[in-house]
Amino acid sequence: MTTAALGSAGTWTTAAHAQAPASAAGKPVILVLGDSLSAEYGLKRGEGWVPLLEKRLAQQKIAATVVNASISGDTSSGGRARFPSLLTQHKPSLVVLELGANDALRGLPLADTESNLLQITKAAQAAGAKVLIVGIQVPPNYGGDYTRRFEAVFSKVAGATRSALVPFLLKGVADAPDALSLFQADRIHPTAAAQPQLLDNVWPELRKLLPK
C-alpha cells in the first residue's frame, strides 16, 4: 500500500541495513518482498508481522535469517525491478511474495500484476528458492467482477508455478466483527494488535517450506 494510503535462531535484517549477504551466517534466508503491509507502516519497529515471524522462529528453535525487503508503496512492477539484486545479495532459500495491493489501488492492469508476480516467482525458483505467495483482496466497492479477478491473480500464479499460497493476508482482520478497531485511522493499515493474526495466516504455509 502507499505511504499515504495502503501501502537467537533468527536474525532480523531490514533491506536498508542489509549490506552483506544474509546467507553469510550459514542459515537459510527467508526474504520477504512486500509493501507497507509487511513494512510496518504506522507501527513501531518490531511490531509488524515480519519481526514477529523472526521471534517465532527463535521460539521454535528454527535456524533462519529473516530479511525484510518490503517497501511501503511498492507495486508488483517495483518489486520485479529490484528483485534480481535482492536475489544476488541475499541468496534466499525462501521468498515470501506479498505484493499487488498497490497495483489495485492505482488501477493497474491485472494482466501486468499477474505477469510481474509470475516473473518474480520464476526468478526465485530458478535461483533455487521456494516461494510463498501471499494474497490480498480488495473491498467490494471495487465491483464484484474486479474483486473476483484480482483475488484470482494470486491463486493463478501459485498454480502455474506450483508455489505455496496464503489466500488472504488479512483474514480474521478485515472480515472480523470488530474489524474497524483492528485498523489504523486510515482504515487500510492493520494496527499492532492485528499483526499476530497476520503472522498466524502466513505461518502454516510458511512452516511447511522450512526445514523440519
Side-chain angles (χ1 to χ4, degrees), residues 134-147:
V134 179
I136 192 71
Q137 297 175 14
V138 293
N141 57 290
Y142 279 69
D145 180 63
Y146 185 88
T147 298

Side-chain angles (χ1 to χ4, degrees), residues 103-172:
D103 296 39
L105 286 176
R106 299 179 185 186
L108 301 180
L110 293 180
D112 290 353
T113 301
E114 182 177 339
S115 176
N116 290 330
L117 296 180
L118 186 63
Q119 293 309 312
I120 292 171
T121 302
K122 288 183 175 180
Q125 292 175 332
K130 299 176 182 178
V131 179
L132 174 59
I133 296 171
V134 179
I136 192 71
Q137 297 175 14
V138 293
N141 57 290
Y142 279 69
D145 180 63
Y146 185 88
T147 298
R148 287 188 294 272
R149 290 191 297 118
F150 179 76
E151 181 180 355
V153 164
F154 303 96
S155 58
K156 286 173 65 177
V157 173
T161 59
R162 296 186 177 180
S163 300
L165 173 68
V166 174
F168 185 29
L169 177 61
L170 301 182
K171 182 176 176 61

Side-chain angles (χ1 to χ4, degrees), residues 18-90:
Q19 299 303 320
S23 57
K27 300 175 183 177
V29 174
I30 302 171
L31 176 68
V32 181
L33 183 65
D35 50 37
S36 58
L37 292 174
S38 300
E40 296 188 288
Y41 176 83
L43 306 175
K44 294 179 181 178
R45 177 74 180 273
E47 290 184 336
W49 77 265
V50 179
L52 292 181
L53 166 62
E54 188 249 348
K55 293 178 181 178
R56 181 167 295 184
L57 291 169
Q59 291 168 352
Q60 299 199 11
K61 295 180 171 56
I62 300 172
T65 297
V66 178
V67 177
N68 193 354
S70 303
I71 297 177
S72 292
D74 206 9
T75 60
S76 63
S77 62
R80 180 178 177 179
R82 57 194 184 89
F83 189 57
S85 63
L86 291 170
L87 271 180
T88 300
Q89 182 179 1
H90 300 294

